[in-house]
């Protein structure tokens, strides 16, 4: 999996923290927002909003930090994302 990220971004940091916590192998790809790299055509193809973070897992592209964290947490059994749908719904509520 590749994570397109900008380290100062709080949304990027929380996604990266989840990946580290779950010990998932992530290939980090810097998108330097200060150099406006988020407007490069290659990045806009990944995320039309031009925002980080973006996760690429094979052909699957996902943006939005909450969605990415849920996706990562669904990859391995853990205490962050329950198998119980009611508990997951309660997590989403907050």
């Amino acid at each position: 999996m590749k994570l397109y990220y900008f380290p100062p971004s709080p949304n990027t940091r929380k996604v990266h923290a989840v990946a580290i916590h779950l010990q998932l192998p992530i290939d980090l790809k810097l998108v330097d927002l200060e150099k406006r790299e988020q407007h490069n055509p290659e990045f806009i193809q990944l995320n039309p909003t031009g925002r980080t973070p973006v996760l690429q897992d094979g052909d699957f592209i996902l943006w939005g930090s909450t969605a990415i964290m849920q996706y990562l947490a669904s990859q391995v059994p853990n205490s962050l994302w329950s198998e119980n749908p009611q508990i997951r719904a309660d997590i989403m509520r907050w």
Side-chain angles (χ1 to χ4, degrees):
M1 286 187 277
K2 295 178 187 175
L3 180 64
Y4 294 84
Y5 79 119
F6 182 64
S9 161
N11 288 332
T12 293
R13 284 197 307 264
K14 64 185 182 181
V15 167
H16 191 206
V18 168
I20 290 169
H21 176 76
L22 297 175
Q23 299 178 347
L24 294 172
I26 297 286
D27 182 17
L28 297 174
K29 301 291 185 185
L30 177 65
V31 179
D32 193 335
L33 303 185
E34 292 175 350
K35 293 181 181 175
R36 304 187 54 80
E37 292 177 354
Q38 74 272 27
H39 298 293
N40 290 348
E42 299 83 18
F43 187 74
I44 293 297
Q45 281 188 313
L46 296 173
N47 183 357
T49 69
R51 295 181 178 178
T52 62
V54 174
L55 183 75
Q56 183 176 16
D57 187 8
D59 292 335
F60 181 63
I61 308 295
L62 185 61
W63 63 85
S65 59
T66 301
I68 294 171
M69 290 185 297
Q70 291 173 5
Y71 181 79
L72 293 176
S74 71
Q75 300 299 306
V76 294
N78 64 80
S79 62
L80 297 177
W81 193 238
S82 174
E83 293 296 320
N84 181 314
Q86 292 174 337
I87 292 173
R88 286 195 313 258
D90 202 33
I91 291 169
M92 287 304 303
R93 175 186 6 228
W94 296 105

